[in-house]
Amino acid sequence: MPNRKDLKSTINNICSAVFAECVAMSLYHGKTHEENVDALLESILAIRNDYISRISHPEPGMKKKEYFDHLAHSFTEQITEIIDQISNLSE
C-alpha cells in the first residue's frame, strides 16, 4: 500500500489532468455549454478536496487496507464518470 503522500500526489495529478482536459475540450469545441463546463470543473475540484481530506482522516473502525481500497475504487468510479461527461460535452 502506498503511503499517504503518494496517494495525495496521485489524486492531485489525476484531477489536474482531468481539469486540463475539460478546459481544453471547452476551448477547442465551440459547441460546449459554459454552464456544463463550469459544473464539471467545480465537481472535479470538489472530488479532489473530498478525497484529499479523506486520506488525511480515515474512518475509525475500518481496517486501513480495506478503507484505502474502498477509497481508491470510489475515486476511480467518480473520475470515470467525469471523463464520460467531458467526452459528451461536444455532442
Side-chain angles (χ1 to χ4, degrees):
M1 180 175 78
N3 63 23
R4 291 178 189 197
K5 182 179 176 183
D6 291 340
L7 286 173
K8 288 180 182 181
S9 176
T10 301
I11 287 174
N12 281 327
N13 291 339
I14 291 170
C15 288
S16 295
V18 172
F19 191 92
E21 185 66 29
C22 186
V23 170
M25 181 68 83
S26 71
L27 292 175
Y28 296 122
H29 290 80
K31 297 181 180 179
T32 59
H33 296 288
E34 193 164 327
E35 309 87 37
N36 295 342
V37 173
D38 290 343
L40 281 174
L41 294 174
E42 287 176 12
S43 65
I44 292 167
L45 292 175
I47 289 170
R48 182 227 168 256
N49 292 338
D50 179 45
Y51 282 92
I52 293 295
S53 68
R54 288 172 65 185
I55 287 173
S56 298
H57 307 287
E59 292 182 21
M62 285 183 79
K63 294 180 182 177
K64 285 188 177 187
K65 179 163 177 40
E66 180 182 319
Y67 176 75
F68 286 112
D69 286 345
H70 175 69
L71 191 80
H73 179 71
S74 62
F75 177 75
T76 303
E77 285 180 352
Q78 286 189 340
I79 288 297
T80 303
E81 183 179 318
I82 294 290
I83 291 170
D84 290 342
Q85 290 175 0
I86 290 171
S87 66
N88 292 331
L89 278 177
S90 63
E91 295 178 353

